[in-house]
Amino acid sequence: MSSHRAGAPRPPPTSDILIRDISHLATQNDDLGEIANAGIFIRGNVIEWVGKMSKLPSELSEHADIVINGEGHVFLPGLVNTHAHMFQALNRCMAQDQQLHGWLKTLYPVWAQHTSTSVFVSTLVSMAELLLSGCTTSSDHLYMYPNDVKLDDTIRAARAVGLRFHPVRGGMSAGMSRGGIAPDSVVEQEADILQDMERCITEFHDGSRLSMLRMSLGPASQKTVTNELMISAARLARKYPGVRLHTHLAENQEDIEYTERLYGYRFGPYISAVEWDQCDCWFAHCVKLNESERALFSERRIGVAHCPSSNTRLASGIAPVRAMLDQGVNVGLGVDGACSSDAQSLLAEARLALLLQRAGGDPRGLGVREALRMATRGGATNLGRQGELGQVAPGFAADVVGFKVTDKLAFAGTAADPVAALLLCAPDAGPVNWSIIDGHVVVREGVLLAADGNRWVREVLVARDAVGEAATGSGAMVAEAAATTEEVDAEVFDMAALLAAAERHSRSLVAGVSEAALGRR
């Protein structure tokens, strides 16, 4: 692995790819629509041609370096996740019966034990789950930086698996002594937050078309930062083209009460006061947006990351997605943190979004293809990449996924509409069969590949955690397994090594946590 803490960008692809004989292609492009017996030709990292196989130019068929058989598959654009906290993946199933604020207060002390290595492992767990569920682009909001943790640790993970990444350098500056809800021990000084935000932009942000990494800034929430930090972060981001702004907003009733008590007004005046009312912003949750606030979002082209699993798990409510869409608000999807949703599947989120909008009694509350659009084009728009991602069309990024729908029990009897089956039959759809990101094959026949040849394994195994524990015991067994894996196939992602490391770090993070904190009853 590169000596640089964040790893190294993956070299550009050198192969051209033809995906032929696709049974069902949902392009998410208004002109191309859905195509049966389709083909996709990828040159480098760009989609060059899309259409019926009968119209495939012969020169493209003859010059493909890699040919993928799409028969019996549904292909679509890679899914785009627009809200996550990947550092939380090692602490699932905790605070099971808490609402948001109690859940946070339970978990802050657990997350305070994180080290750079445990954040790296946790992020890899989230990314592996996302990739295998068809996600090709994801944001990640890291807002706690205990011990030696840096945003670089998450970027290293993205480069290890080849995920297109939009990291959000978050932060918390207002602890309990300043009216916030987080312990003072887990917050940072505002000057330090801003300094590191700018470092991350100058070191990592790539504003070029089809770039694999773009930065955003995200003070955690109005409950954990001052207005001054929100304003300073907004002004800093706008100094750099393509850097966006992201945070939580209007997540539950407690948020309304907190905001009104602290500021004397609701969310619309709040985001205007802190200069977060522009089209370079997108907000997670927005469960409690009222009609006037939705109108403001529509007018200013502010995006929403809808997180249905987290919202229902924490009893936050059901976001008014139908009303948002009808008022012209762009809505994407987010899996949120893996310990508030307890899973990281964007297809599952799209399905739950669909069901929740119908739960009130209207079967037209949300359509299958509307939900798929939220998972693709809606997410791309949230990230400011509507002209690059979220569609299978010439000129768009070569981010394409394919789900096998034949010879699979979950799809038996779905001949009427295999595209709809991806949502209506989830989560039993299983892992994506093919995933191509930036022109690289990342998932092959349902198997996750390692973008950096599993070099991350050696780094994890030789690392010592915060208390100086060497990679012994289970770690030694992981080392042996990793060596065996590399001998057989150096490309296959070493899932056994990751899972062993995840188990070790998960146990370390929750050591000493009470039964009450775990949420058991």
Side-chain angles (χ1 to χ4, degrees):
M1 174 163 284
S2 166
S3 59
H4 194 284
R5 179 166 178 166
R10 191 173 193 176
T14 57
S15 300
D16 297 335
I17 301 174
L18 172 63
I19 311 172
R20 59 175 301 123
D21 301 316
I22 300 168
S23 295
H24 308 276
L25 173 60
T27 69
Q28 296 297 308
N29 178 270
D30 293 336
D31 295 326
L32 294 172
E34 296 182 9
I35 308 172
N37 303 314
I40 304 169
F41 187 86
I42 294 169
R43 190 179 300 279
N45 67 346
V46 181
I47 296 171
E48 183 172 303
W49 179 88
V50 179
K52 285 265 190 189
M53 279 300 298
S54 59
K55 297 182 179 180
L56 174 69
S58 59
E59 64 271 17
L60 298 185
S61 177
E62 295 167 359
H63 291 94
D65 302 301
I66 299 172
V67 178
I68 296 171
N69 181 9
E71 188 175 359
H73 290 70
V74 172
F75 272 80
L76 66 158
L79 308 182
V80 181
N81 176 41
T82 62
H83 185 64
H85 303 295
M86 297 184 184
F87 73 95
Q88 299 177 3
L90 302 182
N91 306 118
R92 308 189 204 209
C93 306
M94 295 183 65
Q96 296 168 15
D97 302 311
Q98 295 274 10
Q99 287 188 288
L100 175 63
H101 288 197
W103 175 87
L104 283 169
K105 290 175 181 178
T106 296
L107 285 158
Y108 282 140
V110 176
W111 299 331
Q113 307 307 310
H114 261 304
T115 66
S116 62
T117 302
S118 62
V119 164
F120 177 56
V121 170
S122 186
T123 304
L124 276 174
V125 168
S126 282
M127 289 180 174
E129 278 195 275
L130 285 166
L131 287 165
L132 287 169
S133 71
C135 181
T136 57
T137 299
S138 183
S139 67
D140 178 42
H141 190 190
L142 180 60
Y143 56 78
M144 283 187 65
Y145 293 83
N147 304 308
D148 60 342
V149 173
K150 285 189 174 184
L151 193 73
D152 310 43
D153 305 316
T154 66
I155 293 171
R156 185 165 85 257
R159 287 171 170 171
V161 292
L163 180 73
R164 196 180 297 275
F165 197 36
H166 279 243
V168 181
R169 203 308 180 178
M172 300 191 297
S173 65
M176 291 181 178
S177 65
R178 300 181 69 185
I181 66 171
D184 289 345
S185 59
V186 299
V187 304
E188 301 173 87
Q189 295 296 313
E190 295 193 353
D192 295 337
I193 293 172
L194 291 166
Q195 182 179 29
D196 196 56
M197 284 178 169
E198 188 151 29
R199 176 192 70 86
C200 291
I201 294 171
T202 57
E203 286 193 23
F204 301 122
H205 179 65
D206 178 1
S208 65
R209 179 172 169 78
L210 307 185
S211 77
M212 287 294 289
L213 196 155
R214 290 192 185 172
M215 281 295 309
S216 296
L217 304 183
S221 69
Q222 78 271 27
K223 304 180 292 291
T224 56
V225 302
T226 65
N227 283 13
E228 289 73 24
L229 181 60
M230 293 290 287
I231 293 168
S232 296
R235 293 177 180 177
L236 173 61
R238 289 168 184 147
K239 288 171 53 181
Y240 297 92
V243 174
R244 295 177 72 78
L245 295 163
H246 177 59
T247 192
H248 307 83
L249 193 75
E251 188 165 353
N252 68 359
Q253 184 63 32
E254 290 174 309
D255 268 6
I256 294 177
E257 294 166 1
Y258 184 93
T259 304
E260 290 183 333
R261 183 172 65 252
L262 194 62
Y263 303 114
Y265 44 66
R266 280 182 56 99
F267 308 112
Y270 169 73
I271 64 171
S272 296
V274 296
E275 302 178 12
W276 280 58
D277 57 352
Q278 302 301 318
C279 63
D280 55 1
C281 302
W282 87 101
F283 293 94
H285 304 298
C286 297
V287 173
K288 298 297 182 179
L289 288 189
N290 63 24
E291 185 174 0
S292 66
E293 289 158 350
R294 296 193 297 268
L296 175 64
F297 272 51
S298 176
E299 177 191 345
R300 302 293 175 87
R301 293 184 291 124
I302 300 167
V304 171
H306 176 40
C307 306
S309 290
S310 177
N311 294 157
T312 50
R313 155 72 144 92
L314 298 177
S316 297
I318 301 174
V321 171
R322 179 73 270 155
M324 291 181 192
L325 295 174
D326 289 346
Q327 287 186 250
V329 178
N330 183 74
V331 182
L333 291 174
V335 298
D336 207 356
C339 62
S340 64
S341 64
D342 302 301
Q344 304 277 269
S345 169
L346 211 61
L347 268 185
E349 297 298 332
R351 181 177 192 267
L352 184 55
L354 172 83
L355 298 179
L356 288 175
Q357 294 307 303
R358 298 181 177 204
D362 184 359
R364 297 167 298 179
L366 191 66
V368 169
R369 282 159 176 80
E370 284 183 299
L372 277 175
R373 188 182 181 99
M374 287 162 53
T376 53
R377 293 180 62 167
T381 301
N382 274 351
L383 300 182
R385 307 194 71 171
Q386 57 269 34
E388 305 168 65
L389 308 178
Q391 300 181 49
V392 179
F396 278 73
D399 292 4
V400 181
V401 296
F403 288 86
K404 187 176 182 182
V405 294
T406 58
D407 303 321
K408 292 183 72 173
L409 182 61
F411 294 109
T414 63
D417 194 346
V419 174
L422 294 182
L423 262 60
L424 296 179
C425 299
D428 292 331
V432 70
N433 211 47
W434 291 97
S435 179
I436 297 166
I437 304 177
D438 201 46
H440 296 281
V441 177
V442 174
V443 177
R444 181 182 62 206
E445 298 286 3
V447 177
L448 183 63
L449 307 180
D452 69 348
N454 283 314
R455 285 174 289 178
W456 64 270
V457 174
R458 289 189 289 274
E459 180 173 330
V460 170
L461 294 178
V462 301
R464 294 174 178 268
D465 63 23
V467 297
E469 178 187 355
T472 58
S474 63
M477 289 186 284
V478 173
E480 182 178 351
T484 303
T485 302
E486 288 186 353
E487 289 169 8
V488 174
D489 186 349
E491 281 193 312
V492 174
F493 184 85
D494 197 335
M495 192 65 71
L498 174 61
L499 295 177
E503 177 71 11
R504 180 164 62 90
H505 285 287
S506 178
R507 290 182 180 277
S508 176
L509 287 167
V510 301
V513 176
S514 68
E515 290 289 304
L518 288 170
R520 296 174 182 162
R521 62 176 183 174

